[in-house]
Every structure is written in C-alpha cells, then in structure tokens.
Amino acid sequence: MERIPILTMGKLLLVTIQVDMHDRLALALQDDLTNRIVKDGARGVLIDISSLDVVDSFIGRMIGNTAAMARVLDAETVVVGMQPSVAITLVELGLALTGVRTALNVEKGMALLARGGTV
Amino acid sequence: MERIPILTMGKLLLVTIQVDMHDRLALALQDDLTNRIVKDGARGVLIDISSLDVVDSFIGRMIGNTAAMARVLDAETVVVGMQPSVAITLVELGLALTGVRTALNVEKGMALLARGGTV
C-alpha cells in the first residue's frame, strides 16, 4: 500500500496510522490531507495512533507539522489513542506536541471538536 | 505493528485495513473484533478497504468470514470504499461477498446502518 487512507465523516477527516512511517509516506499523507481539507471543507482532523507502540522523533515531528498545516487551513487536529509509552517517549524526545490537542479515543476526540464548535 | 486497530464510534466499530493481511494478522483481527463486539455491545461494523488496490482469495474469504462472525453476534457488517478493480477481482475469484453489505464510503456505510435501524 502506498498511501494512508483518509476517511471523511461529515466535516471531519479521520486518519488511522498503523504502518511504520517513512519519509515518502509521511509526505504523501501531508499532501493528501491538506488537499482533502481544502476539497471537503473539513474543519477537524482526527489522527488515531493507537496502534503505535513506539514513536521516534520523525513521527513526532510529522504529527506536529501535519497539525500545523491543518491549522493554517482552518482545521483543528486532535491526536487520539496515544499509548502511555508513546507519551513518555515524545516528551523525552523534547516533542511535547505543543498546539496539538489530544484525546483518549476517537469518540472523545469527536466530542472535543464538537464542544469547541469546530464541527 | 502486530494488530489492526479497531475504533469505537457509538454502537459502531470501524476497522481500516491498510496493510497486507497474512494469516496471523487476519486471525488476530477476527479475535479482536469479536471480542470488541461483545465488550462494547456493538451493533455495526464498518470495514474500510479503500487502500486495497488488489485483493486475493485469502482476503476475500477473511472479509466474508468476519462478517459472518459479526452476524452471529448480532452486528451488521458493511464493507466500505471498495475500489472497482477489487470488485472485479472478487467476482472473478468467485467471492461475491454474499450476505455482506457494501457502501461507497464510510459516511454512506454509517447512513446505511442508521437507515436499517442497526445503530
């Protein structure tokens, strides 16, 4: 598979990351996601990382950058399903994902966006 | 990654298949999914296969079996996002996914389940 699928749910886009990210795949995802935000007029992006046991600085930066790109396109990003070990690693790597909102699961993430009036 | 994540949305479970399935992964998915249907009391299962360009008889049978397992647990399965080439291959393989409902995308799949009174 060459691309990570992006699912549309109303004004929300949902991305489930379940494969190891490499440079080309991350760039393709950012490309697809920004295009879809514009095309679908999406207001919120949910990135599910529940299947990631480990995270490195590359993935951490990729998530932060993707959220920043969504923000300049007026879409709010919520990272959902982060495992405790990933949270520990991210902070240890100095990547506290500042400006990125998080929620324990997809439902809570959707509720967070709905509460904030985003979608 | 060892397992395919299953996302809960209300009474729905959402599975996005984006990696090549092998025996062990397929068995783990069926195991996880049946457990989650029972644990969460899910009434509907959406299986997104939009990132699959090709499909073989193993994946075809796996999808059919998973839907049958969900059905005996009183949950309806909808396969969403099937690409035209995959539809052609499935029928050519003699796997017409009888008894499995399909929809063009996640939103239409959710609408289908809602209309049928499943969720």
Side-chain angles (χ1 to χ4, degrees), chain B residues 3-26:
Chain B
R3 286 177 180 278
I4 294 177
I6 298 167
L7 308 181
T8 309
M9 291 186 296
K11 289 283 171 202
L12 273 180
L13 298 177
L14 173 64
V15 182
T16 313
I17 295 180
Q18 44 184 272
V19 291
D20 284 322
M21 298 292 276
H22 48 77
D23 292 40
R24 211 162 42 82
L25 192 61

PDB file of all heavy atoms in Angstrom, chain B residues 3-26:
ATOM      1  N   ARG B   3      -1.161  -5.559  15.331  1.00  0.00           N
ATOM      2  CA  ARG B   3      -2.617  -5.650  15.274  1.00  0.00           C
ATOM      3  C   ARG B   3      -3.231  -4.477  14.535  1.00  0.00           C
ATOM      4  O   ARG B   3      -2.683  -3.388  14.547  1.00  0.00           O
ATOM      5  CB  ARG B   3      -3.177  -5.695  16.702  1.00  0.00           C
ATOM      6  CG  ARG B   3      -2.946  -7.044  17.358  1.00  0.00           C
ATOM      7  CD  ARG B   3      -3.412  -7.093  18.774  1.00  0.00           C
ATOM      8  NE  ARG B   3      -3.173  -8.402  19.355  1.00  0.00           N
ATOM      9  CZ  ARG B   3      -3.952  -9.454  19.210  1.00  0.00           C
ATOM     10  NH1 ARG B   3      -5.016  -9.351  18.522  1.00  0.00           N
ATOM     11  NH2 ARG B   3      -3.653 -10.606  19.755  1.00  0.00           N
ATOM     12  N   ILE B   4      -4.362  -4.719  13.919  1.00  0.00           N
ATOM     13  CA  ILE B   4      -5.093  -3.660  13.229  1.00  0.00           C
ATOM     14  C   ILE B   4      -6.010  -2.996  14.246  1.00  0.00           C
ATOM     15  O   ILE B   4      -6.775  -3.682  14.924  1.00  0.00           O
ATOM     16  CB  ILE B   4      -5.899  -4.254  12.059  1.00  0.00           C
ATOM     17  CG1 ILE B   4      -4.934  -4.792  11.000  1.00  0.00           C
ATOM     18  CG2 ILE B   4      -6.845  -3.214  11.472  1.00  0.00           C
ATOM     19  CD1 ILE B   4      -5.599  -5.473   9.841  1.00  0.00           C
ATOM     20  N   PRO B   5      -5.925  -1.666  14.402  1.00  0.00           N
ATOM     21  CA  PRO B   5      -6.740  -1.013  15.424  1.00  0.00           C
ATOM     22  C   PRO B   5      -8.232  -1.026  15.083  1.00  0.00           C
ATOM     23  O   PRO B   5      -8.603  -0.968  13.910  1.00  0.00           O
ATOM     24  CB  PRO B   5      -6.203   0.419  15.447  1.00  0.00           C
ATOM     25  CG  PRO B   5      -5.557   0.615  14.135  1.00  0.00           C
ATOM     26  CD  PRO B   5      -5.066  -0.722  13.689  1.00  0.00           C
ATOM     27  N   ILE B   6      -9.038  -1.129  16.106  1.00  0.00           N
ATOM     28  CA  ILE B   6     -10.491  -1.096  15.952  1.00  0.00           C
ATOM     29  C   ILE B   6     -10.992   0.134  16.693  1.00  0.00           C
ATOM     30  O   ILE B   6     -10.762   0.274  17.892  1.00  0.00           O
ATOM     31  CB  ILE B   6     -11.123  -2.373  16.548  1.00  0.00           C
ATOM     32  CG1 ILE B   6     -10.614  -3.605  15.798  1.00  0.00           C
ATOM     33  CG2 ILE B   6     -12.643  -2.300  16.495  1.00  0.00           C
ATOM     34  CD1 ILE B   6     -10.933  -4.921  16.491  1.00  0.00           C
ATOM     35  N   LEU B   7     -11.631   1.046  15.970  1.00  0.00           N
ATOM     36  CA  LEU B   7     -12.091   2.289  16.582  1.00  0.00           C
ATOM     37  C   LEU B   7     -13.572   2.186  16.924  1.00  0.00           C
ATOM     38  O   LEU B   7     -14.350   1.658  16.148  1.00  0.00           O
ATOM     39  CB  LEU B   7     -11.873   3.460  15.626  1.00  0.00           C
ATOM     40  CG  LEU B   7     -10.464   3.601  15.045  1.00  0.00           C
ATOM     41  CD1 LEU B   7     -10.390   4.817  14.134  1.00  0.00           C
ATOM     42  CD2 LEU B   7      -9.436   3.720  16.151  1.00  0.00           C
ATOM     43  N   THR B   8     -13.928   2.664  18.106  1.00  0.00           N
ATOM     44  CA  THR B   8     -15.330   2.642  18.526  1.00  0.00           C
ATOM     45  C   THR B   8     -15.956   4.007  18.263  1.00  0.00           C
ATOM     46  O   THR B   8     -15.385   5.027  18.621  1.00  0.00           O
ATOM     47  CB  THR B   8     -15.425   2.341  20.035  1.00  0.00           C
ATOM     48  OG1 THR B   8     -14.655   1.176  20.309  1.00  0.00           O
ATOM     49  CG2 THR B   8     -16.869   2.107  20.453  1.00  0.00           C
ATOM     50  N   MET B   9     -17.123   4.008  17.633  1.00  0.00           N
ATOM     51  CA  MET B   9     -17.883   5.248  17.465  1.00  0.00           C
ATOM     52  C   MET B   9     -19.318   4.930  17.815  1.00  0.00           C
ATOM     53  O   MET B   9     -20.055   4.400  16.976  1.00  0.00           O
ATOM     54  CB  MET B   9     -17.777   5.748  16.035  1.00  0.00           C
ATOM     55  CG  MET B   9     -16.368   6.238  15.706  1.00  0.00           C
ATOM     56  SD  MET B   9     -16.291   6.988  14.082  1.00  0.00           S
ATOM     57  CE  MET B   9     -16.688   5.568  13.084  1.00  0.00           C
ATOM     58  N   GLY B  10     -19.696   5.209  19.037  1.00  0.00           N
ATOM     59  CA  GLY B  10     -21.031   4.860  19.495  1.00  0.00           C
ATOM     60  C   GLY B  10     -21.206   3.353  19.459  1.00  0.00           C
ATOM     61  O   GLY B  10     -20.411   2.617  20.033  1.00  0.00           O
ATOM     62  N   LYS B  11     -22.221   2.912  18.742  1.00  0.00           N
ATOM     63  CA  LYS B  11     -22.505   1.471  18.646  1.00  0.00           C
ATOM     64  C   LYS B  11     -21.852   0.849  17.413  1.00  0.00           C
ATOM     65  O   LYS B  11     -22.189  -0.251  16.997  1.00  0.00           O
ATOM     66  CB  LYS B  11     -24.028   1.242  18.594  1.00  0.00           C
ATOM     67  CG  LYS B  11     -24.733   1.527  19.902  1.00  0.00           C
ATOM     68  CD  LYS B  11     -24.518   0.387  20.875  1.00  0.00           C
ATOM     69  CE  LYS B  11     -25.010   0.708  22.282  1.00  0.00           C
ATOM     70  NZ  LYS B  11     -24.347  -0.144  23.283  1.00  0.00           N
ATOM     71  N   LEU B  12     -20.922   1.618  16.831  1.00  0.00           N
ATOM     72  CA  LEU B  12     -20.234   1.176  15.620  1.00  0.00           C
ATOM     73  C   LEU B  12     -18.770   0.884  15.891  1.00  0.00           C
ATOM     74  O   LEU B  12     -18.139   1.567  16.691  1.00  0.00           O
ATOM     75  CB  LEU B  12     -20.264   2.291  14.571  1.00  0.00           C
ATOM     76  CG  LEU B  12     -21.436   2.419  13.625  1.00  0.00           C
ATOM     77  CD1 LEU B  12     -21.194   3.594  12.700  1.00  0.00           C
ATOM     78  CD2 LEU B  12     -21.548   1.145  12.814  1.00  0.00           C
ATOM     79  N   LEU B  13     -18.247  -0.100  15.191  1.00  0.00           N
ATOM     80  CA  LEU B  13     -16.799  -0.327  15.211  1.00  0.00           C
ATOM     81  C   LEU B  13     -16.276  -0.053  13.804  1.00  0.00           C
ATOM     82  O   LEU B  13     -16.915  -0.411  12.824  1.00  0.00           O
ATOM     83  CB  LEU B  13     -16.487  -1.767  15.614  1.00  0.00           C
ATOM     84  CG  LEU B  13     -16.953  -2.202  17.011  1.00  0.00           C
ATOM     85  CD1 LEU B  13     -16.627  -3.672  17.236  1.00  0.00           C
ATOM     86  CD2 LEU B  13     -16.307  -1.353  18.094  1.00  0.00           C
ATOM     87  N   LEU B  14     -15.129   0.606  13.736  1.00  0.00           N
ATOM     88  CA  LEU B  14     -14.547   0.930  12.432  1.00  0.00           C
ATOM     89  C   LEU B  14     -13.154   0.326  12.325  1.00  0.00           C
ATOM     90  O   LEU B  14     -12.302   0.535  13.185  1.00  0.00           O
ATOM     91  CB  LEU B  14     -14.465   2.451  12.259  1.00  0.00           C
ATOM     92  CG  LEU B  14     -13.722   2.972  11.022  1.00  0.00           C
ATOM     93  CD1 LEU B  14     -14.433   2.567   9.735  1.00  0.00           C
ATOM     94  CD2 LEU B  14     -13.593   4.486  11.079  1.00  0.00           C
ATOM     95  N   VAL B  15     -12.962  -0.430  11.261  1.00  0.00           N
ATOM     96  CA  VAL B  15     -11.660  -1.048  11.006  1.00  0.00           C
ATOM     97  C   VAL B  15     -11.174  -0.573   9.646  1.00  0.00           C
ATOM     98  O   VAL B  15     -11.904  -0.680   8.660  1.00  0.00           O
ATOM     99  CB  VAL B  15     -11.782  -2.593  10.982  1.00  0.00           C
ATOM    100  CG1 VAL B  15     -10.420  -3.230  10.778  1.00  0.00           C
ATOM    101  CG2 VAL B  15     -12.435  -3.111  12.231  1.00  0.00           C
ATOM    102  N   THR B  16      -9.982  -0.024   9.585  1.00  0.00           N
ATOM    103  CA  THR B  16      -9.407   0.384   8.309  1.00  0.00           C
ATOM    104  C   THR B  16      -8.285  -0.576   7.968  1.00  0.00           C
ATOM    105  O   THR B  16      -7.292  -0.650   8.685  1.00  0.00           O
ATOM    106  CB  THR B  16      -8.838   1.812   8.403  1.00  0.00           C
ATOM    107  OG1 THR B  16      -9.794   2.643   9.042  1.00  0.00           O
ATOM    108  CG2 THR B  16      -8.539   2.375   7.038  1.00  0.00           C
ATOM    109  N   ILE B  17      -8.465  -1.310   6.895  1.00  0.00           N
ATOM    110  CA  ILE B  17      -7.420  -2.261   6.502  1.00  0.00           C
ATOM    111  C   ILE B  17      -6.469  -1.561   5.551  1.00  0.00           C
ATOM    112  O   ILE B  17      -6.874  -1.064   4.510  1.00  0.00           O
ATOM    113  CB  ILE B  17      -8.036  -3.514   5.855  1.00  0.00           C
ATOM    114  CG1 ILE B  17      -8.872  -4.244   6.908  1.00  0.00           C
ATOM    115  CG2 ILE B  17      -6.950  -4.421   5.293  1.00  0.00           C
ATOM    116  CD1 ILE B  17      -9.536  -5.491   6.419  1.00  0.00           C
ATOM    117  N   GLN B  18      -5.213  -1.451   5.938  1.00  0.00           N
ATOM    118  CA  GLN B  18      -4.257  -0.760   5.070  1.00  0.00           C
ATOM    119  C   GLN B  18      -2.939  -1.475   4.963  1.00  0.00           C
ATOM    120  O   GLN B  18      -2.008  -0.979   4.351  1.00  0.00           O
ATOM    121  CB  GLN B  18      -4.056   0.694   5.522  1.00  0.00           C
ATOM    122  CG  GLN B  18      -3.902   0.887   7.008  1.00  0.00           C
ATOM    123  CD  GLN B  18      -3.807   2.346   7.419  1.00  0.00           C
ATOM    124  OE1 GLN B  18      -2.724   2.901   7.451  1.00  0.00           O
ATOM    125  NE2 GLN B  18      -4.920   2.958   7.725  1.00  0.00           N
ATOM    126  N   VAL B  19      -2.839  -2.642   5.560  1.00  0.00           N
ATOM    127  CA  VAL B  19      -1.612  -3.415   5.415  1.00  0.00           C
ATOM    128  C   VAL B  19      -1.959  -4.753   4.773  1.00  0.00           C
ATOM    129  O   VAL B  19      -3.111  -5.173   4.784  1.00  0.00           O
ATOM    130  CB  VAL B  19      -0.920  -3.670   6.780  1.00  0.00           C
ATOM    131  CG1 VAL B  19      -0.364  -2.375   7.330  1.00  0.00           C
ATOM    132  CG2 VAL B  19      -1.866  -4.312   7.771  1.00  0.00           C
ATOM    133  N   ASP B  20      -0.957  -5.384   4.198  1.00  0.00           N
ATOM    134  CA  ASP B  20      -1.187  -6.695   3.625  1.00  0.00           C
ATOM    135  C   ASP B  20      -1.546  -7.668   4.732  1.00  0.00           C
ATOM    136  O   ASP B  20      -0.852  -7.753   5.742  1.00  0.00           O
ATOM    137  CB  ASP B  20       0.081  -7.170   2.894  1.00  0.00           C
ATOM    138  CG  ASP B  20       0.245  -6.456   1.567  1.00  0.00           C
ATOM    139  OD1 ASP B  20      -0.775  -6.228   0.919  1.00  0.00           O
ATOM    140  OD2 ASP B  20       1.392  -6.124   1.219  1.00  0.00           O
ATOM    141  N   MET B  21      -2.641  -8.353   4.555  1.00  0.00           N
ATOM    142  CA  MET B  21      -3.090  -9.292   5.570  1.00  0.00           C
ATOM    143  C   MET B  21      -2.358 -10.614   5.401  1.00  0.00           C
ATOM    144  O   MET B  21      -2.247 -11.130   4.298  1.00  0.00           O
ATOM    145  CB  MET B  21      -4.589  -9.563   5.395  1.00  0.00           C
ATOM    146  CG  MET B  21      -5.453  -8.355   5.564  1.00  0.00           C
ATOM    147  SD  MET B  21      -5.454  -7.754   7.246  1.00  0.00           S
ATOM    148  CE  MET B  21      -6.694  -8.795   7.980  1.00  0.00           C
ATOM    149  N   HIS B  22      -1.880 -11.155   6.495  1.00  0.00           N
ATOM    150  CA  HIS B  22      -1.388 -12.518   6.452  1.00  0.00           C
ATOM    151  C   HIS B  22      -2.191 -13.293   7.490  1.00  0.00           C
ATOM    152  O   HIS B  22      -2.978 -12.707   8.242  1.00  0.00           O
ATOM    153  CB  HIS B  22       0.123 -12.573   6.725  1.00  0.00           C
ATOM    154  CG  HIS B  22       0.540 -11.783   7.917  1.00  0.00           C
ATOM    155  ND1 HIS B  22       0.355 -12.237   9.200  1.00  0.00           N
ATOM    156  CD2 HIS B  22       1.072 -10.549   8.038  1.00  0.00           C
ATOM    157  CE1 HIS B  22       0.786 -11.314  10.050  1.00  0.00           C
ATOM    158  NE2 HIS B  22       1.227 -10.280   9.375  1.00  0.00           N
ATOM    159  N   ASP B  23      -2.025 -14.600   7.497  1.00  0.00           N
ATOM    160  CA  ASP B  23      -2.843 -15.472   8.343  1.00  0.00           C
ATOM    161  C   ASP B  23      -2.975 -14.993   9.772  1.00  0.00           C
ATOM    162  O   ASP B  23      -4.064 -14.856  10.308  1.00  0.00           O
ATOM    163  CB  ASP B  23      -2.238 -16.878   8.391  1.00  0.00           C
ATOM    164  CG  ASP B  23      -2.329 -17.578   7.055  1.00  0.00           C
ATOM    165  OD1 ASP B  23      -2.120 -16.899   6.042  1.00  0.00           O
ATOM    166  OD2 ASP B  23      -2.609 -18.772   7.035  1.00  0.00           O
ATOM    167  N   ARG B  24      -1.815 -14.709  10.385  1.00  0.00           N
ATOM    168  CA  ARG B  24      -1.802 -14.413  11.810  1.00  0.00           C
ATOM    169  C   ARG B  24      -2.521 -13.093  12.096  1.00  0.00           C
ATOM    170  O   ARG B  24      -3.278 -12.975  13.058  1.00  0.00           O
ATOM    171  CB  ARG B  24      -0.348 -14.342  12.311  1.00  0.00           C
ATOM    172  CG  ARG B  24      -0.156 -14.767  13.746  1.00  0.00           C
ATOM    173  CD  ARG B  24       1.310 -15.087  14.022  1.00  0.00           C
ATOM    174  NE  ARG B  24       2.198 -14.108  13.390  1.00  0.00           N
ATOM    175  CZ  ARG B  24       2.498 -12.924  13.917  1.00  0.00           C
ATOM    176  NH1 ARG B  24       2.019 -12.574  15.083  1.00  0.00           N
ATOM    177  NH2 ARG B  24       3.307 -12.099  13.286  1.00  0.00           N
ATOM    178  N   LEU B  25      -2.308 -12.112  11.219  1.00  0.00           N
ATOM    179  CA  LEU B  25      -2.931 -10.801  11.396  1.00  0.00           C
ATOM    180  C   LEU B  25      -4.451 -10.907  11.218  1.00  0.00           C
ATOM    181  O   LEU B  25      -5.225 -10.296  11.965  1.00  0.00           O
ATOM    182  CB  LEU B  25      -2.340  -9.815  10.381  1.00  0.00           C
ATOM    183  CG  LEU B  25      -2.644  -8.334  10.591  1.00  0.00           C
ATOM    184  CD1 LEU B  25      -2.100  -7.851  11.920  1.00  0.00           C
ATOM    185  CD2 LEU B  25      -2.056  -7.502   9.462  1.00  0.00           C
ATOM    186  N   ALA B  26      -4.871 -11.698  10.245  1.00  0.00           N
ATOM    187  CA  ALA B  26      -6.305 -11.875   9.996  1.00  0.00           C
ATOM    188  C   ALA B  26      -6.970 -12.555  11.190  1.00  0.00           C
ATOM    189  O   ALA B  26      -8.053 -12.155  11.625  1.00  0.00           O
ATOM    190  CB  ALA B  26      -6.523 -12.691   8.731  1.00  0.00           C
TER     191      ALA B  26
END
